[in-house]
Structures are given as C-alpha cells and as structure tokens.
Amino acid sequence: MASTTATHAILIRSARSDNPWVSFLVRRGGQFVLAVWVLVTAAFLMIHLVPGDPVRAALGMNAPAELVEAKRAALGLDQPLIVQYFRYIGGLFTGDMGTSMITSQPVSEIIATRLPATLQLALLAVLLVLLVSVPVGVTMAVLTRGGRRRGLELAFATGSVILAAIPEFLLAVGLVYVFAVSLGWFPVAGNTAPFSLVLPVIALAVGPIAVFSRIIRVEVLSVLGQDFIRTARAKRLAPHRIYSRHALPNAMTATLTLTGLLLTGMVAGTVLVENVFAWPGLGTMIVQSILTKDYSVVQGIVLVYGIGVLIVNLVVDVILALLDPRSTIREA
C-alpha cells in the first residue's frame, strides 16, 4: 500500500515537471484556495473583533437582556469560538451564510436579491470600458507614434489624468446634477427604467477608461516599434490588418496584467456609486447594514466582494497564460 502511494506521488511530480501547464494550474489553484481560506477566516473574525457585544449593538442598548441572550443563542454566538468557526465554514459549503441580526432573514437570500443589480451595473461598466478604451488607445498610438501631433498627445495625456483623478462618487454627483436634475434626461435615482443604468455605468467607467486607454496607447506604441511590425509593413499589408492582427493582440498581452487591478478597483467604486444613485445592489445594502450594525450581513457581503476579486484575478492570470504560454513556462 505504501509503495502504491509513493508511486502515485512520483507520477504526480513527474507530470508536473514534464508539463508546465499542470504546474501552473496546481500552483495558481493552490494560491486561490489559500486566499479564499484567509478571506473566509477574516470574514468570520469580523463579528468577534467588533468592540463590545455585536448583538447588543444591533438590538440597541435598551434591549432586554433576555432578548439579547436569545438572539445570541439563535445565531450560535454562545458557542466556543472554534465550534463557531467550523460551523461557519460548514455552512458556507451548503450556502448558509448566517442570519441577519435585525430582520432574521438568511444572509444568502439578502445577497441573492441584491447581487443581480450589482452585477448588472459592474458588467455593463466593464463592457463600456473595453469598448471605448481599446479603440481610443489604439487610435491615439497610431496618431501620435514617432513624436507626431505633440499637441494631441499632450491634450490626451492631460485629459486622461484629470478624468482618472476624479473620484467615482464625485463624478456621480455631478452627472446627477447636470443630466438628471438640471436637464431631466435620466432618472435621479433607483432602478425604475432601463435609462436608470446610463448615469451609474458612466460614473463607474470614466476613470477606468482614462487609465486603460493610456496603458493601451503606451503598449501599442511599444509594439509598433518591434521588428515583426516592420516586416508586416514591408509585406505591404493593409494598415487595419497590421493594427488588428499584429499590434493589438501583442499589446493586450501586457495590458491584461493591469486589467485585474482596474476591475478590482471598480469594487469600491460600485459601493460608492450605488449609494449616490440609490441603486438596489450590494453597495447600498452594505452601507445600510453598517449603519444598523447588522454585522452578519456585512460579513456576507464582504465575503462575496472578496471572492469576486479573487475570481477576477484568477481569470486574468489564466487568460494571460493562454495568450503567452512562454511566461507560464518561465514562472513554472
């Protein structure tokens, strides 16, 4: 039996050494699992690190002691810490994220109700970022390569820096005042019509568009100076083929490294923008839960946001590995 186990271990190590993709997937998967475990542990400790009694804080200082003790028992907070920890992890595997201290509603139901609105906002913002920043970045690289059009380059750099520096919530307030209050073109707040998405999505996307388009421009300029681009021009290929088939794919390989950071940075922006527009998503829910000291709901939403960030980073790493396998082999 021992020899069979040793043989399996040798085969696994041999497979990992012979195939860098296996090594990459095992290593990256292990990092993801470890990060999720750290996140889950931090979320669990959130309630216990709150000064004082979180149940007393949620129910109010004037709540009867019997009610507080009954609520603690219902939430399982009267059990030893290690027992609570394993019960919490076991519940996550079955979709049980605890119960709201205020409404006694399952946290998973609250998140399931609010998550679609947040995903709708975030995915549309990401789509807008890609649809605008990629052509803008490529166009600016083509127009300003070789030191041409210095004025246009300066205007683009200055404008993108200014737009990227504006906080999302401040931009959201400005959009509401101009296009909703003054002009009346869009709803002021809420999710009452399809047009309700326009201003929140723009508020989320403007900053990333400014940053991402600058990154793409720099990367495309770098690629346009490579030998294979000169060879493509020497073959008299059409300009659109040179840019779309040769320059852009090679530029996107390096650009995707920063895409994960931009997307994860939109998580905080989603929370702020949702509260400006009273959007019925997780962002408004987490702020309401913090104000009412409903720490169970805060705990669940933080966990969802954190896992979302980890998944985005994992997906970006896998895409990079598919686009540039040589880097994966070197890392492995």
Side-chain angles (χ1 to χ4, degrees), residues 69-155:
E69 291 301 322
K71 194 68 174 179
R72 284 177 57 84
L75 296 173
L77 296 177
D78 58 340
Q79 300 292 324
L81 188 63
I82 190 65
V83 175
Q84 295 182 46
Y85 180 66
F86 284 108
R87 285 183 58 185
Y88 179 70
I89 293 180
L92 292 178
F93 282 104
T94 61
D96 182 10
M97 305 181 72
T99 305
S100 169
M101 295 181 179
I102 304 298
T103 64
S104 298
Q105 184 180 1
V107 175
S108 57
E109 291 185 5
I110 297 175
I111 292 177
T113 302
R114 297 276 189 152
L115 182 59
T118 296
L119 287 178
Q120 183 183 31
L121 202 61
L123 292 177
L124 286 175
V126 171
L127 182 62
L128 181 61
V129 170
L130 295 176
L131 290 178
V132 175
S133 60
V134 172
V136 168
V138 173
T139 302
M140 291 304 303
V142 173
L143 293 177
T144 60
R145 66 185 177 90
R148 297 180 298 176
R149 298 181 178 89
R150 292 288 187 180
L152 178 61
E153 179 183 353
L154 179 61

